[in-house]
């Protein structure tokens, strides 16, 4: 019995730590934080949801510069420059500084917020997307992006392919 007591104490301690950690984990996974309307944005991002268009899916878009070229359609190849931030102002991805931008096909391989938000853009245009987590990485997150994170992208459509 004496040999089991330290082992039992360690198990109880592990359970207590796990339970406390589980409560903190639950706070980090609060689905309401995935709705842009429930998020506080860093002032440096300049996000004003009231000035943006909101789709039925919850995606917010704002044309910063209207393009005059050809229009992006689903399934079409596009070349863009973009920068992506988390609501606290953390830049997590950018193509700025790259000479030619990034090319890809506007299709189902993208997060849903990009699929919906870039269709209709014209070459030369710049658009801001505020993407609810349900149209981004949802409850799982991805890499450095935690679960239920709203994403903000500024995208410039350089050309169609």
């Amino acid at each position: 019995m004496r040999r089991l007591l330290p082992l039992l104490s360690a198990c109880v301690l592990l359970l207590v730590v796990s339970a406390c950690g589980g409560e903190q984990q639950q706070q980090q996974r609060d689905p309401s934080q995935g709705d842009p309307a429930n998020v506080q944005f860093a002032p440096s991002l300049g996000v004003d949801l009231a000035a943006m268009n909101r789709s039925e899916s919850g995606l917010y878009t704002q044309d910063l510069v209207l393009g005059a070229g050809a229009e992006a359609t689903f399934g079409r190849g596009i070349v863009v420059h973009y920068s992506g931030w988390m609501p606290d102002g953390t830049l997590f991805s950018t193509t700025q500084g790259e000479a030619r931008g990034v090319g890809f096909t506007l299709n189902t391989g993208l997060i849903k917020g990009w699929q919906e938000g870039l269709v209709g853009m014209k070459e030369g245009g710049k658009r801001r997307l505020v993407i609810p987590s349900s149209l981004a990485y949802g409850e799982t997150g991805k890499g450095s992006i935690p679960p239920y994170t709203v994403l903000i992208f500024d995208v410039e459509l350089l050309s169609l392919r």
Side-chain angles (χ1 to χ4, degrees), residues 8-150:
L8 287 173
S9 297
C11 289
V12 169
L13 179 61
L14 181 60
L15 287 173
V16 169
V17 170
S18 296
C20 293
E23 185 176 321
Q24 184 179 22
Q25 185 82 316
Q26 183 65 27
Q27 288 175 342
Q28 292 173 348
R29 292 182 174 261
D30 181 0
S32 70
Q33 290 303 303
D35 180 349
N38 296 333
V39 172
Q40 182 138 9
F41 296 95
S44 61
L45 296 174
V47 172
D48 180 5
L49 295 180
M52 301 180 83
N53 298 310
R54 184 184 182 279
S55 72
E56 286 186 29
S57 68
L59 174 70
Y60 288 83
T61 60
Q62 182 178 27
D63 285 315
L64 305 173
V65 174
L66 291 175
E71 188 172 301
T73 57
F74 192 77
R76 183 85 190 254
I78 62 175
V79 178
V80 299
H81 272 309
Y82 72 89
S83 294
W85 296 271
M86 289 187 260
D88 67 0
T90 302
L91 178 70
F92 64 86
S93 184
T94 187
T95 62
Q96 296 305 319
E98 293 182 19
R100 295 184 182 195
V102 169
F104 54 86
T105 302
L106 191 51
N107 64 19
T108 57
L110 301 173
I111 61 171
K112 291 178 183 177
W114 273 55
Q115 290 174 40
E116 180 182 335
L118 299 183
V119 168
M121 261 185 98
K122 293 185 176 184
E123 287 177 316
K126 293 182 182 181
R127 184 174 285 175
R128 173 164 290 163
L129 308 175
V130 177
I131 304 175
S133 68
S134 61
L135 300 178
Y137 299 113
E139 66 184 26
T140 59
K142 183 173 182 178
S144 65
I145 300 170
Y148 298 113
T149 299
V150 170

